[in-house]
Amino acid sequence: MTETVQFPVAKINSKTFKKFGTTRVDDYFWLNDRNNPEVIDYLNQENKYYQESTAHTQKMQESLFEEMKARIKEDDSSVPYFYNGYFYITRFETGKGYPIYARKKGSLEAQEEILFDCNKMAEGHAYFKLGGLSVSENNELITFATDIVGRRIYTIQIKNLQTNEILPEKIENATGSSVWANDNATIFYTKQDAVTLRSDKVYKHTLNSPIEDDVLVFNETDDTFNVSVSKEKSRKYIVIGSGSTLTNEYRILDADKPNEEFKIFQKRVRGLEYSISHYGNEFYILTNKDKATNFKLMKTSENATEKKHWKEVVMHREDVLLEDVEIFKNFLVLEERSNGLNRIRIKSWDNTSDYYLPFGSETYSAFTTTNLDFDTDVLRYSYQSLATPSSVIDFDMKTKTKTVLKEQQVLGGTFDKENYIEERVWATAEDGTKIPISMIYRKGLNKNGNNPLLLYAYGSYGVTMDAYFSSTRLSLLDRGFVYAIAHVRGGEDLGRSWYEDGKLLKKKNTFSDFIACSKYVIEQKYTSASHLYAEGGSAGGLLMGVIVNWAPELYNGVIAQVPFVDVMTTMLDDTIPLTTGEYDEWGNPNKREYFEYMLSYSPYDNVTKQNYPNMYVSTGLHDSQVQYWEPAKWVAKLRQNKTTDKLLFLDTNMDAGHGGASGRFEALKELAKEFSFLLDLEKIKM
């Protein structure tokens, strides 16, 4: 397949950068100005080129959209959760793209009280997002936050749930997060830096007072840290969290005394990571203290919180990553990861029981969900696998009995999980490390190298890519695709060391791991280079950018979603959102060692004259995490350098940010674009 429509050519307007004796020439730096009409014109030209070049797939996209939509239960609702006397429910109505938030007092049989109908709130907006819901202790007021651009800049407002009126107070340019003190009159909220969008300040607002009178209670001056504000599950403390990639610091305040000063829990020590959970008269601390790489659990009195007072509860283990804890009145629940798989451990405070929930598959994901009720013996968790739809389960920790509250419905009448094979296989990396791959395909697959295979990975920030179910993915599986997740280093899939071995000066392990996984699925004849496709977004888009530079011959096509590809320009500009907070992940390029290492793999800087695979690149004009100009510049440079007429598309959503479209059906349309790109390359007809 070749390009028949003339592609746009971005003008060259070179800008030269010099650092550490290295000269970088950026021909497309001018694209870094969303207010320049020429930039908007170029993006529109690229969109037009994409649309004209794929006009023949329009019916396929529409069919895929309808097919994926038809599997979704449109009049769906969440499993209700109980909090402070009310059951809270999120539900969707047929034909509507946004959720409705509601609650019922005391019983599920009670009359429904609609808190927010996002379908009405979204009217007239190309993008709409509701967030930051927080209910006052007396259940009469609720804070909420809205973003109508997609840049994650929210406006916080307060609704009176007795009268349904929106109070006049409007807190602009906030992160959206807020919590109530126990007096039902004070809220604490976070704001971000206007330029970098770094969450850096916590304010206190008193009901019915002018916003300009709000009190600044904490200002994070270290630009590598971000702040948050939350309330403990026990509801006794308001907590300000301040954290960077490697270091945490918390401040606590009695929620009954909002006008007193926050007290530092344990001051920051570089490399000391910890998080806190309150129970009784003590705090439980999940921490890497004393070189506990995979974390351990400690506790301390609420009156003596410095680390010298911390006592060990669950010791550090070399082969088990302790990811999180959930505290109940009678039980402690530990979320662990061993050999790349989730485990949920339940331990009674009186030490009469200590056991793991049993899971049978090797390609599953299990994690605790909404457990806001402290005084209960019921744990709520979710379970799914590549072939098993997501279930929400209530587990009685005393009787050890479980109740499946809801299993995701796959409508259409054709889905049967017995039609699919799930596997976990292991590829060997360049340095001999075994890299797990989770995969799924339809039964009867012939390993002859002719099967299309989509290989996905992320591989940064210690984010674990667990095997999860997707009803939309069936549109590929049922047309002969194999779907696989490469659990590359840079995530935390096999413990903390897995993350440490894929960041900073070991970042290249992420890229070479993915290439090793690609070679493995080819060698094992799951697929071949003519039918192998790669996909990644954001930092996973960086991964896509590197592999097409390093090993373009392995892939027939690549999907790069909001890709972080201009590493040097972004990381050298501390006015860009997220940059300074990223130094502990990628390195600080103002130091020569990191500058040279990052430059050696930065996708944009390493584009060369070669045969690049077919590529579909997507971005959002208002993206606050990966600026739109990164993929725009990258595509312009790829156009200048690619040596064949293989497809290269830049698709910019002019109304959205990092997360793409906001409505649930609009998101399916974006997915239909990606799937049609793959199916068209495979010449698979609908």
Side-chain angles (χ1 to χ4, degrees):
M1 180 168 39
T2 60
E3 297 170 338
T4 56
V5 184
Q6 183 54 43
F7 54 79
V9 177
K11 73 175 184 181
I12 292 176
N13 185 1
S14 301
K15 185 176 176 69
T16 301
F17 298 89
K18 293 186 177 180
K19 196 172 185 72
F20 297 125
T22 298
T23 300
R24 289 189 305 125
V25 179
D26 189 343
D27 290 340
Y28 304 105
F29 187 81
W30 66 275
L31 286 169
N32 182 4
D33 181 7
R34 66 166 54 82
N35 297 315
N36 180 350
E38 279 189 272
V39 172
I40 300 301
D41 182 58
Y42 170 71
L43 295 176
N44 284 327
Q45 285 181 47
E46 283 283 5
N47 279 352
K48 183 183 178 187
Y49 168 66
Y50 164 66
Q51 289 154 10
E52 290 179 353
S53 299
T54 58
H56 66 286
T57 70
Q58 194 58 43
K59 285 189 176 178
M60 180 191 289
Q61 290 183 40
E62 291 168 6
S63 295
L64 283 166
F65 169 75
E66 293 298 337
E67 178 179 293
M68 292 187 287
K69 183 181 174 186
R71 295 194 195 103
I72 296 172
K73 190 174 188 295
E74 290 197 43
D75 58 338
D76 202 8
S77 64
S78 66
V79 175
Y81 66 84
F82 188 74
Y83 179 73
N84 198 21
Y86 283 81
F87 285 97
Y88 287 86
I89 304 149
T90 305
R91 61 180 178 82
F92 287 91
E93 292 183 349
T94 302
K96 296 183 178 180
Y98 291 90
I100 295 168
Y101 293 88
R103 69 178 184 177
K104 295 182 177 184
K105 186 174 183 178
S107 163
L108 289 173
E109 309 305 315
Q111 184 176 347
E112 180 184 72
E113 176 186 346
I114 292 180
L115 305 175
F116 301 101
D117 183 343
C118 294
N119 299 287
K120 292 179 180 176
M121 298 171 77
E123 287 176 4
H125 301 296
Y127 179 93
F128 178 82
K129 186 77 171 177
L130 179 74
L133 302 185
S134 179
V135 182
S136 62
E137 286 294 317
N138 63 6
N139 292 308
E140 294 177 4
L141 300 162
I142 186 169
T143 55
F144 66 100
T146 53
D147 172 12
I148 56 172
V149 175
R151 202 158 163 75
R152 303 189 185 191
I153 302 172
Y154 286 85
T155 298
I156 297 175
Q157 293 175 269
I158 304 167
K159 182 177 182 180
N160 184 320
L161 295 175
Q162 294 182 301
T163 65
N164 276 329
E165 71 171 312
I166 307 295
L167 303 188
E169 291 117 292
K170 264 192 178 183
I171 301 168
E172 308 277 3
N173 301 317
T175 66
S177 174
S178 63
V179 294
W180 289 90
N182 291 344
D183 64 354
N184 305 301
T186 307
I187 64 168
F188 293 90
Y189 63 91
T190 49
K191 295 195 77 166
Q192 63 250 82
D193 181 277
V195 176
T196 66
L197 302 188
R198 178 177 69 90
S199 175
D200 63 348
K201 295 180 179 69
V202 178
Y203 283 90
K204 178 173 64 176
H205 173 73
T206 304
L207 213 57
N208 301 318
S209 68
I211 302 301
E212 53 268 27
D213 291 346
D214 287 1
V215 178
L216 176 65
V217 294
F218 179 64
N219 181 15
E220 178 52 76
T221 56
D222 186 329
D223 61 10
T224 66
F225 280 70
N226 287 277
V227 300
S228 62
V229 65
S230 60
K231 196 173 192 177
E232 280 296 306
K233 186 174 172 178
S234 67
R235 287 144 64 181
K236 186 174 179 180
Y237 289 97
I238 305 287
V239 179
I240 293 175
S242 195
S244 70
T245 306
L246 296 174
T247 309
N248 300 102
E249 181 178 75
Y250 290 91
R251 287 166 168 76
I252 57 174
L253 175 69
D254 188 325
D256 289 330
K257 302 171 182 176
N259 294 319
E260 293 193 356
E261 296 289 317
F262 279 83
K263 168 196 159 191
I264 294 180
F265 188 92
Q266 160 58 46
K267 69 179 181 180
R268 67 192 67 180
V269 176
R270 181 164 172 79
L272 176 65
E273 296 176 65
Y274 73 95
S275 59
I276 59 177
S277 300
H278 181 253
Y279 168 63
N281 297 316
E282 295 174 312
F283 278 96
Y284 283 75
I285 308 118
L286 186 64
T287 181
N288 67 347
K289 182 178 179 286
D290 305 322
K291 299 181 180 178
T293 311
N294 276 334
F295 290 78
K296 62 182 176 180
L297 188 65
M298 306 185 81
K299 70 175 181 180
T300 193
S301 163
E302 60 186 359
N303 299 315
T305 60
E306 297 86 358
K307 62 184 172 68
K308 66 182 179 183
H309 301 293
W310 299 357
K311 296 181 176 64
E312 192 170 276
V313 177
V314 177
M315 64 183 289
H316 174 255
R317 289 156 291 173
E318 294 292 340
D319 58 344
V320 177
L321 174 67
L322 184 54
E323 292 187 315
D324 206 355
V325 299
E326 191 77 66
I327 290 179
F328 296 89
K329 182 179 178 182
N330 298 315
F331 292 92
L332 170 66
V333 177
L334 306 169
E335 292 192 77
E336 303 175 348
R337 183 173 298 277
S338 178
N339 199 29
L341 297 174
N342 307 109
R343 300 196 305 183
I344 297 177
R345 180 182 175 190
I346 297 170
K347 185 176 165 57
S348 63
W349 290 116
D350 63 9
N351 292 319
T352 58
S353 64
D354 187 348
Y355 58 94
Y356 287 90
L357 293 181
F359 302 121
S361 170
E362 270 206 330
T363 57
Y364 72 87
S365 170
F367 49 88
T368 65
T369 58
T370 308
N371 289 283
L372 299 179
D373 195 359
F374 180 73
D375 190 8
T376 179
D377 292 327
V378 177
L379 168 72
R380 181 163 293 178
Y381 72 95
S382 176
Y383 176 87
Q384 60 188 307
S385 77
L386 288 172
T388 307
S390 174
S391 296
V392 177
I393 299 161
D394 270 1
F395 181 80
D396 189 310
M397 295 179 280
K398 270 192 175 168
T399 64
K400 300 183 183 178
T401 55
K402 71 177 184 179
T403 305
V404 178
L405 301 174
K406 180 181 179 180
E407 180 170 292
Q408 177 187 348
Q409 285 184 263
V410 182
L411 302 184
T414 60
F415 172 72
D416 181 351
K417 64 183 178 183
E418 299 305 320
N419 291 334
Y420 303 90
I421 300 288
E422 298 175 273
E423 279 191 78
R424 188 161 72 140
V425 296
W426 300 78
T428 304
E430 283 182 349
D431 61 3
T433 302
K434 296 290 186 183
I435 313 298
I437 307 171
S438 300
M439 63 170 64
I440 181 172
Y441 50 85
R442 278 193 73 98
K443 281 182 177 175
L445 183 92
N446 186 1
K447 293 184 189 176
N448 57 11
N450 294 325
N451 308 296
L453 187 150
L454 180 58
L455 184 64
Y456 174 84
Y458 184 71
S460 290
Y461 302 107
V463 173
T464 299
M465 278 297 139
D466 286 318
Y468 66 97
F469 181 81
S470 166
S471 67
T472 57
R473 191 189 297 141
L474 299 173
S475 291
L476 293 180
L477 297 178
D478 291 347
R479 290 180 174 88
F481 267 77
V482 179
Y483 181 82
I485 302 170
H487 303 282
V488 295
R489 282 174 286 185
E492 239 174 30
D493 305 60
L494 268 74
R496 184 67 173 196
S497 62
W498 204 249
Y499 171 41
E500 301 291 345
D501 281 347
K503 64 185 282 201
L504 298 174
L505 298 174
K506 295 181 179 179
K507 187 64 209 169
K508 289 181 183 178
N509 283 337
T510 303
F511 317 133
S512 57
D513 283 0
F514 190 88
I515 290 171
C517 291
S518 302
K519 290 178 176 176
Y520 176 87
V521 294
I522 291 172
E523 288 162 3
Q524 298 299 312
K525 297 197 180 307
Y526 286 100
T527 190
S528 63
S530 301
H531 300 285
L532 178 58
Y533 302 91
E535 177 188 21
S538 195
L542 163 68
L543 170 57
M544 297 300 103
V546 174
I547 63 157
V548 297
N549 282 339
W550 287 10
E553 72 283 355
L554 292 178
Y555 310 95
N556 188 38
V558 169
I559 295 172
Q561 305 147 328
V562 293
F564 171 45
V565 283
D566 188 10
V567 178
M568 301 314 298
T569 305
T570 292
M571 293 304 297
L572 283 165
D573 185 351
D574 59 14
T575 69
I576 293 175
L578 303 184
T579 290
T580 53
E582 304 280 284
Y583 288 161
D584 288 332
E585 178 71 26
W586 312 103
N588 183 346
N590 296 299
K591 297 178 180 178
R592 184 175 198 131
E593 182 181 26
Y594 291 108
F595 174 86
E596 292 176 348
Y597 187 78
M598 294 159 75
L599 182 61
S600 72
Y601 67 74
S602 173
Y604 180 66
D605 293 284
N606 288 281
V607 170
T608 58
K609 294 278 184 190
Q610 61 175 328
N611 180 3
Y612 283 96
N614 298 289
M615 297 175 66
Y616 171 81
V617 182
S618 61
T619 187
L621 180 64
H622 301 291
D623 196 325
S624 62
Q625 288 185 265
V626 177
Q627 308 296 312
Y628 74 90
W629 47 259
E630 291 203 35
K633 288 167 53 177
W634 183 47
V635 167
K637 192 170 183 180
L638 285 167
R639 287 209 189 287
Q640 187 186 27
N641 284 274
K642 73 191 191 80
T643 57
T644 68
D645 57 359
K646 288 181 181 175
L647 301 173
L648 175 58
F649 298 134
L650 174 66
D651 183 14
T652 305
N653 187 325
M654 305 300 279
D655 297 316
H658 197 65
S662 56
R664 58 174 174 160
F665 299 136
E666 289 304 310
L668 289 181
K669 290 177 183 176
E670 294 186 348
L671 202 53
K673 289 180 179 182
E674 297 176 1
F675 285 7
S676 66
F677 173 74
L678 299 172
L679 294 171
D680 194 38
L681 287 171
E682 282 293 313
K683 297 181 173 56
I684 295 174
K685 305 296 183 186
M686 292 295 292

